[in-house]
Amino acid sequence: MVKALGALAAGHLLAMLAILLPFSMMTVLLDWQTEIRVGAAALVIAAGAYLLINRRHPRILARVHPSRLVLWSFLAAMAHGAGLMLLPIYLGMSGTEPGEAGHAAAHELMGRNIGSAFVVALAHTAAMTVAGGVIAAATYYYLGLRFLKRTWFNLDVVWALSLILVGLSGLYLAINGH
């Protein structure tokens, strides 16, 4: 389990860095932030709509050889938007109200440089790995693998609808200058 968690963490970290690092080097694009936000919102809405229309989950993802776990984690994290959720904060696109100390602190921490992008990506990866490891261990030791085989459920529709909702929210905020 420890090797698997390490491989999953490595893939997730690589996916976030693949998104964050190029943007950390292109902060000049802030002049185009409205257009970028509209485009990103449209992309997220399109991804959600595609997932609603194409309901088949790729079968190739069902069983992954341990030697390919880093690649699988990278591809899954990229497909599910790893790094994209941090991008608005990194680029200073998310406005911070007086009560939003968390976003303000994250924006200050990131500081729009490559070193900060690594720190944020590492912190997020560590939190994701610990949380996933605790859930995996609890499931294995308390519920068992037989429970998972019998009670598997698919959250693809929830995921697709959440993408559409977030995309529509982002589009609304981008158009209204927030």
Side-chain angles (χ1 to χ4, degrees), residues 7-19 47 51 57-65 67-84 128 159 163:
L8 290 170
H12 195 81
L13 176 64
L14 289 173
M16 285 189 303
L17 291 176
I19 294 294
L51 290 175
H57 207 73
R59 298 194 94 208
I60 194 167
L61 299 178
R63 294 185 184 252
V64 179
H65 191 273
S67 67
R68 295 188 181 116
L69 207 48
V70 171
L71 176 62
W72 178 88
S73 178
F74 173 78
L75 294 174
M78 288 295 283
H80 291 146
L84 290 176
M128 184 272 315
W159 178 249
L163 284 174

Side-chain angles (χ1 to χ4, degrees), residues 2-167:
V2 173
K3 285 183 182 179
L5 283 173
L8 290 170
H12 195 81
L13 176 64
L14 289 173
M16 285 189 303
L17 291 176
I19 294 294
L20 290 174
L21 292 181
F23 280 95
S24 70
M25 294 181 263
M26 298 187 306
T27 55
V28 130
L29 295 178
L30 285 175
D31 293 339
W32 294 85
Q33 72 174 298
T34 300
E35 291 82 1
I36 292 170
R37 291 171 65 189
V38 168
L43 185 63
V44 170
I45 292 168
Y50 174 77
L51 290 175
L52 277 178
I53 294 167
N54 182 15
R55 303 282 294 277
R56 290 183 34 217
H57 207 73
R59 298 194 94 208
I60 194 167
L61 299 178
R63 294 185 184 252
V64 179
H65 191 273
S67 67
R68 295 188 181 116
L69 207 48
V70 171
L71 176 62
W72 178 88
S73 178
F74 173 78
L75 294 174
M78 288 295 283
H80 291 146
L84 290 176
M85 72 284 199
L86 299 174
L87 205 52
I89 297 170
Y90 183 79
L91 292 175
M93 293 177 178
S94 63
T96 55
E97 300 296 323
E100 294 180 1
H103 277 196
H107 180 64
E108 285 299 314
L109 173 68
M110 288 180 156
R112 296 187 188 155
N113 66 53
I114 292 175
S116 296
F118 273 107
V119 169
V120 169
L122 285 169
H124 175 81
T125 300
M128 184 272 315
T129 304
V130 170
V134 167
I135 291 169
T139 301
Y140 180 78
Y141 289 114
Y142 294 107
L143 299 175
L145 294 178
R146 190 176 305 242
F147 173 80
L148 286 178
K149 284 183 178 180
R150 285 184 294 188
T151 59
W152 184 256
F153 55 94
N154 191 342
L155 294 175
D156 285 348
V157 172
V158 173
W159 178 249
L161 291 174
S162 70
L163 284 174
I164 292 170
L165 180 63
V166 166

